[in-house]
Amino acid sequence: MSFPTSGPGRGAAPSRGITLVLIALTALGPLSTDLYLPSLPTMGRDLGADAATAQLTLTGYMWGLALAQLVYGPVSDALGRRPVLIAGMAVQVVASVLCLYSATIDQLVMARVLQGAGACAGAVIGRALVRDLFPPERAGSVFASITSATALAPMVAPMIGGQIEVLFGWRGNFAALGVIGILLIASAVTILPEPITNRDLSRIRPVAILRAMGELLHDRRFVGLGICTCSAFGALFAWVSNSSVLLIEGYGIRPERFGLYFGLAVAGYVAGAGIGGRLVMRLGSLRLLTIGLCLMATGGLVMLAQTLTGTDTALGVTAGAAFLLAGAGFALPQAFTAAILPYPHMAGTASALIGSTQMTTGGIVAAATAPLADGTPIPIAGTILVLAAIALTANRLLVHRPNRPV
């Protein structure tokens, strides 16, 4: 059974409403990650958990994101994007309610795993829909524009989350996420088209899924781009998962002001993704990927140099994080584009495999770096530099030498 290589958007430009819904869907993941970051210390104290245990709510969310993508991608290739997307959003709403009423840290961690499992439907299917609805020559620019816009979510989320905590307590953040999930379900039902017209249940058999993933993993360039994406996201997540503890407890930043510092760093991502979207037609995705990885390494070096010379401040460390996130803004959209475009017949599976391994890496980084927190940026900077080195090596050996199979 063959699948169309173009959706309804290929013949005519998708409407602004469709693009806005895709932005909102892909923004749900970072929004759910970052909205409650200013509340981590307070939440931990309220539930009788230390900082490392409280951060398990973040790690659990990432594991939910990672594992469920492996289901959503292949199933959406077989059954269609919209029904799978709506089902995932429904899970996200239920999980948000469970988070709201969690009485112990264990309950909250489990609810966050379920919340991640629901929210990831927006990310994996949203990326596949970009591949479905936009022509290849525009997909890289569209990915960059969407990720630039969705980068505003983690920039403003901690600011909003800090104010929600002041007004309603940390549980108010999860109530807000539930309401957002309901609005996204309504938007998906009324606005999004369904590009998959030929449905084939045989594609969701385990053997078929494994065969499709085997095809992807046999592609040397796909594997290299996957390593670059995972390493870049892991480096980014080293900052995201530890920034609240570092800035609030290490440098004494008040929770309601944390969002301002976090937003400054995320502004780097907005700039990187925006500039990358404008330059991709001129320089190409792979050159922008290399530039982005070098910028990420620069961010780690800036943090490390300040710490070793004793000149580190909250603002200076955040400036280093801005370099890191600017590099991620260059690298991540282009890596996704280059990885997914060659596989129009299984864009959902390709998106899911890249996204799942990316989120798994983020969860591992969060779990590994939390116990290393010492009130300085050294654990974050060291993690960034190691992951940047891995990504640059994969970029050189696999992405730019793709002719031989893995």
Side-chain angles (χ1 to χ4, degrees):
M1 180 72 69
S2 62
F3 277 71
T5 58
S6 62
R10 298 295 176 117
S15 70
R16 185 180 299 272
I18 291 174
T19 304
L20 290 175
V21 173
L22 292 177
I23 290 172
L25 288 170
T26 52
L28 181 61
L31 182 68
S32 299
T33 301
D34 298 336
L35 187 68
Y36 84 123
L37 285 182
S39 301
L40 269 177
T42 303
M43 185 187 72
R45 289 192 294 269
D46 188 31
L47 297 178
D50 57 25
T53 304
Q55 286 196 27
L56 289 177
T57 59
L58 192 57
T59 304
Y61 178 80
M62 299 305 297
W63 282 110
L65 279 174
L67 297 176
Q69 289 193 52
L70 295 175
V71 176
Y72 289 129
V75 172
S76 72
D77 283 340
L79 301 182
R81 309 295 187 210
R82 287 209 323 165
V84 179
L85 173 63
I86 292 168
M89 290 297 96
V91 171
Q92 188 270 345
V93 172
V94 171
S96 297
V97 174
L98 294 176
C99 290
L100 176 62
Y101 290 104
S102 294
T104 67
I105 193 67
D106 292 336
Q107 292 177 6
L108 183 56
V109 169
M110 295 304 298
R112 285 285 285 172
V113 172
L114 187 63
Q115 190 177 48
C120 78
V124 67
I125 296 176
R127 290 191 299 263
L129 282 169
V130 173
R131 176 61 185 85
D132 294 333
L133 301 176
F134 293 89
E137 62 272 15
R138 285 193 57 207
S141 178
V142 172
F143 267 122
S145 298
I146 288 178
T147 54
S148 178
T150 56
L152 293 174
M155 183 167 67
V156 303
M159 303 180 194
I160 298 172
Q163 296 304 316
I164 289 177
E165 180 188 359
V166 171
L167 295 174
F168 305 106
W170 62 266
R171 296 179 189 273
N173 290 308
F174 296 110
L177 290 173
V179 172
I180 292 170
I182 293 172
L183 294 176
L184 285 175
I185 291 174
S187 299
V189 169
T190 57
I191 296 175
L192 288 182
E194 176 53 73
I196 303 298
T197 56
N198 298 321
R199 297 177 179 178
D200 184 2
L201 291 177
S202 67
R203 292 172 63 90
I204 61 176
R205 293 182 302 179
V207 172
I209 293 174
L210 291 175
R211 184 182 300 116
M213 291 184 177
E215 179 182 344
L216 293 169
L217 295 175
H218 196 66
D219 183 337
R220 186 183 184 92
R221 175 169 284 176
F222 182 89
V223 172
L225 290 166
I227 293 173
C228 289
T229 302
C230 292
S231 299
F233 187 79
L236 181 154
F237 213 72
W239 166 256
V240 170
S241 63
N242 292 284
S243 58
S244 61
V245 174
L246 175 64
L247 294 177
I248 293 174
E249 299 188 351
Y251 289 101
I253 302 300
R254 296 196 303 274
E256 62 270 22
R257 293 182 62 84
F258 165 75
L260 297 175
Y261 287 84
F262 196 85
L264 175 62
V266 176
Y269 189 96
V270 175
I275 295 171
R278 291 178 175 86
L279 293 179
V280 64
M281 297 298 291
R282 184 187 307 173
L283 299 180
S285 293
L286 298 185
R287 188 174 297 178
L288 288 178
L289 171 61
T290 302
I291 293 171
L293 297 177
C294 291
L295 280 174
M296 291 176 59
T298 301
L301 289 172
V302 169
M303 290 185 191
L304 185 62
Q306 291 181 66
T307 308
L308 294 179
T309 58
T311 59
D312 58 303
T313 63
L315 186 60
V317 170
T318 303
F323 275 100
L324 163 68
L325 269 70
F330 269 97
L332 288 173
Q334 306 312 324
F336 265 115
T337 302
I340 294 174
L341 281 182
Y343 295 98
H345 58 295
M346 51 178 175
T349 302
S351 174
L353 190 56
I354 289 282
S356 177
T357 52
Q358 170 188 280
M359 294 301 172
T360 300
T361 303
I364 292 172
V365 169
T369 55
L372 301 177
D374 59 359
T376 76
I378 289 179
I380 300 175
T383 302
I384 291 168
L385 291 173
V386 170
L387 291 172
I390 292 172
L392 286 167
T393 301
N395 186 45
R396 175 65 177 170
L397 298 181
L398 297 176
V399 177
H400 290 280
R401 297 179 184 175
N403 295 328
R404 292 178 300 168
V406 175

